[in-house]
Amino acid sequence: MSTFDKIPETKEEAFLEVLLRLADDRLIHGHRLSEWCGHGPELEEDLALANVALDMIGHAASLYSYAAQLEGKPDEDYYAYFRDDIDFKNIALVELPKGDFAFTILRQFLFSAFSFFNYRELIKTVKDEQFNGMLQKHFKEIKYHLRHSREWVLRLGDGTEESHRRIQEAIDEIWMYTGEFFHLDDIDKAAISFNLYTDTSAFKKEWESLVFGTFEEATLQKPDNDQYMFEGARSGRHTEYLGPLLAQMQFLRRSHPEAEWK
Amino acid sequence: MNQNTEWPLWEVFYQPGNGKPFEHAGSVHAPDAEMALQNGRDTYARRNEGISMWVVPTDQITASAPEDAGPFFDPANDKAYRHPQFYSVPRAVKKRN
Amino acid sequence: MDTKEKLDAFQDRIDRGEKIEPKDWMPERYRQQLIRMISQHAHSEIVGMLPEGNWIPRAPSLKRKMVLLAKVQDEAGHGLYLYSATETLGARRQDVVEDYIYGNAKYSSIFNYPTLTYADICVIGWLVDGAAIVNQTMLAKSSYGPYARANLRICREESFHKKQGYEMLAKMASGTDEQKKMAQDAVNRWWWPTLMMFGPPDSDSPNSAELIKWGVKTKTNDELRQSYVDRMVMEAEVIDIKLPDPDLKYNKKTGHWEFGEIPWDEFWAVVKGNGPMNRERIKARKNAYEDGEWVREAAIAYARKQKLKEGKAS
């Protein structure tokens, strides 16, 4: 837990945490994906990656805007542009640099697979109509992201020697950041008690069977599951990669906070 | 020149709405049918243009030749009896429609 | 063989306003001119993604970030439609792409200028896309069917590109002092290069007459440039932006705005490769192309393996 984290005592407080955690994951992930725009391996894939990035940033914007409404902040931009590194609640996986195409696709696949199960459960759990409506809309898009990235994992894994080597390296590099999908801290637990979040460990087996099944089909080796797992980004303990990302993302808005930018 | 890494070309057709006939949208490059569908979706359905899609390898399409235009299509020109306007219907029936 | 009868019959079709389709007979020179022109247009869309993409990570609001990303993504789509049009003429995408990455095929010089502030993004939307729309509206009537259809689709999508730029520039031009300064500075830098987007003056444009004769274009460079200036003078005034040309004046007789001497030396220097960002643009595209090679290869290898498996199974 970070020094500033407060265990939510009310449902409203817990709700805000849930919205921001979901939104921060999506914003940072979308930002990383958008870095591919103009640099994709083929034109068609440039378009595809930009579509996923747009979905991600769109999801974040709608979640932030609901949070702003609940908390009485001016708008969605407040959360994206006026918070510092230690206030961001995204998992570390999404802030890692974009790497090569194998790394980007693998991260997309792992995150989309997690989001798929997480949203599926959230839609069953969440009673709030507006929130549930958002989840259902995002869920459709997540299914496509999962399909797209899974198909690519198969092609890279069972493609050429080089593509196989690259995506295998990506698996080994990224694996320690997948622990945060299933680690529940006190904030998550409070949110679960208010029926606002789901016990992600409940679908860990399903996630693993989808992920490992895909690896097997792609002739890829399963990673070492007993290795050190990174933890803490949800409560502000990030990697060094988030700072420069935010510096770039926020600089113009923060340099001229009084100006109109919408 | 680099080695040939160009993916095959596919023609994309989408159905603009329920019950509507498919239309040609354009083409995409893709390594196989699944990716052709996805690329077709990401390229030609970004603005909600379709609800359903076909993809066909471009080299599988057989087109009529320009010089066929006459023999193929002109003969249909003078067959007015194929069109409903060719026939007259009593006035009273017309009014009721 | 391009016999005289065939050429005359072809010219008759053009003069009657008929569209030429891929399998129709066409003079070899018509085909070559189209491939050259359409692929240049396609390269411009793709290289054009870079100066704008430069501001996606720094866009000042989530709304503007999504607008910009969607717009730059559209440019990729436009490049794709246009490459498809060259493919109907028998060109291969990989060959035409390599022509500008490794060879000296051209793209629009406008994209060799840097985007220094966010106002540049607004000005690219307003002026650069404004100029592109003037051009593409004409090209949507081009005599070559696939090129005309590609431009029609591009125009439909492009209409939001100009609007979003103009809207945001208007906000900046009436915003804080810093925003006003950025807005005016961007216009000062981009105005003259956008006038050059229509190509050299008619007196110095070797391909124009032929392209017009064949109905690929229907207006000359100077005619298009004039209609662009007339429109932009009006739009600049409405949002309180000054165009950096002391010689701009309205000619009541012709109904057109007259403008000062375009710095053509600069134009030719940039065309020849000596613009502020020429080398970086080509380098970025070359990197993307070469870094993508193993990805394209992997997908081909996978497809081949799958085919083999299917063959064995059946």
Side-chain angles (χ1 to χ4, degrees), chain A residues 44 51 144 147-148 155, chain B residues 29 32 34 38 41-42:
Chain A
E44 282 81 356
N51 267 348
Y144 184 75
R147 174 168 168 176
H148 185 73
R155 279 157 187 76
Chain B
H29 284 274
D32 52 48
E34 166 66 21
Q38 294 195 17
R41 178 252 191 204
D42 284 321

Side-chain angles (χ1 to χ4, degrees), chain C residues 86-105:
Chain C
T86 66
E87 291 174 284
T88 65
L89 291 158
R92 285 175 68 238
R93 188 200 284 181
Q94 180 166 343
D95 294 338
V96 289
V97 165
E98 288 184 1
D99 276 348
Y100 87 92
I101 292 182
Y102 302 114
N104 50 13

Side-chain angles (χ1 to χ4, degrees), chain C residues 9-50:
Chain C
F10 179 78
Q11 191 63 50
D12 281 348
R13 291 192 64 192
I14 301 276
D15 295 344
R16 282 197 299 271
E18 284 182 28
K19 296 282 183 232
I20 307 301
E21 293 297 334
K23 294 184 105 183
D24 293 352
W25 184 87
M26 61 186 83
E28 190 48 29
R29 172 121 182 117
Y30 176 81
R31 180 191 303 275
Q32 292 309 330
Q33 282 284 45
L34 275 175
I35 292 178
R36 183 190 60 83
M37 185 174 162
I38 304 173
S39 57
Q40 273 186 19
H41 189 174
H43 306 329
S44 305
E45 298 280 353
I46 301 304
V47 176
M49 296 172 76
L50 299 169

Side-chain angles (χ1 to χ4, degrees), chain A residues 157-172:
Chain A
D158 196 14
T160 60
E161 251 174 64
E162 181 176 8
S163 67
H164 180 88
R165 173 181 58 76
R166 283 178 185 258
I167 192 156
Q168 187 67 58
E169 278 171 15
I171 293 173
D172 299 336

Side-chain angles (χ1 to χ4, degrees), chain C residues 140-161:
Chain C
K141 299 187 194 96
S142 167
S143 61
Y144 187 58
Y147 191 35
R149 291 192 286 275
N151 276 292
L152 200 64
R153 196 178 181 106
I154 290 172
C155 285
R156 264 205 314 264
E157 296 185 357
E158 197 109 331
S159 55
F160 104 79
H161 294 186

Side-chain angles (χ1 to χ4, degrees), chain B residues 1-7 9 14 25 27 29 31-32 43-44 46-47 49 63-64 66, chain C residues 23-24 73-74 80-81 84 87 92-94 98 102 153 157 160 293 296-297 299-300 303:
Chain B
M1 285 291 140
N2 291 24
Q3 62 161 314
N4 181 10
T5 55
E6 185 171 277
W7 294 333
L9 198 61
Y14 57 42
S27 39
H29 284 274
D32 52 48
T43 303
Y44 294 106
R46 302 201 302 287
R47 288 174 167 78
E49 289 96 331
S64 65
Chain C
K23 294 184 105 183
D24 293 352
Q73 183 202 36
D74 273 351
L80 197 158
Y81 309 154
S84 299
E87 291 174 284
R92 285 175 68 238
R93 188 200 284 181
Q94 180 166 343
E98 288 184 1
Y102 302 114
R153 196 178 181 106
E157 296 185 357
F160 104 79
E293 189 171 35
R296 298 190 297 273
E297 227 172 36
I300 292 172

Side-chain angles (χ1 to χ4, degrees), chain C residues 55-231:
Chain C
W55 278 88
I56 294 171
R58 292 179 287 170
S61 66
L62 291 180
K63 174 183 155 189
R64 292 291 157 186
K65 200 180 183 72
M66 290 188 275
V67 167
L68 184 57
L69 182 52
K71 173 180 190 298
V72 181
Q73 183 202 36
D74 273 351
E75 316 293 3
H78 298 171
L80 197 158
Y81 309 154
L82 293 163
Y83 284 130
S84 299
T86 66
E87 291 174 284
T88 65
L89 291 158
R92 285 175 68 238
R93 188 200 284 181
Q94 180 166 343
D95 294 338
V96 289
V97 165
E98 288 184 1
D99 276 348
Y100 87 92
I101 292 182
Y102 302 114
N104 50 13
K106 302 285 180 246
Y107 54 87
S108 181
S109 283
I110 193 80
F111 301 116
N112 289 318
Y113 292 88
T115 48
L116 302 181
T117 72
Y118 181 72
D120 291 48
I121 296 308
C122 311
V123 170
I124 288 183
W126 175 45
L127 293 180
V128 177
D129 290 330
I133 289 171
V134 169
N135 228 332
Q136 287 158 351
T137 307
M138 168 191 71
L139 293 170
K141 299 187 194 96
S142 167
S143 61
Y144 187 58
Y147 191 35
R149 291 192 286 275
N151 276 292
L152 200 64
R153 196 178 181 106
I154 290 172
C155 285
R156 264 205 314 264
E157 296 185 357
E158 197 109 331
S159 55
F160 104 79
H161 294 186
K162 184 186 169 198
K163 251 181 147 172
Q164 60 83 30
Y166 189 54
E167 176 195 74
M168 190 62 219
L169 189 70
K171 283 182 186 171
M172 291 188 76
S174 62
T176 63
D177 288 347
E178 290 91 345
Q179 281 181 309
K180 282 181 188 157
K181 182 176 161 190
M182 285 185 238
Q184 186 60 54
D185 176 62
V187 173
N188 293 350
R189 282 181 287 113
W190 288 91
W191 172 249
W192 290 104
T194 59
L195 290 187
M196 301 174 200
M197 281 176 72
F198 298 94
D202 295 346
S203 55
D204 201 10
S205 177
N207 292 311
S208 261
E210 194 176 47
L211 292 172
I212 289 175
K213 183 184 85 175
W214 277 334
V216 176
K217 293 173 68 168
T218 52
K219 287 180 182 150
T220 71
N221 295 353
D222 286 335
E223 285 169 346
L224 292 168
R225 190 165 15 244
Q226 186 63 59
S227 65
Y228 168 76
V229 171
D230 290 343
R231 175 153 197 100

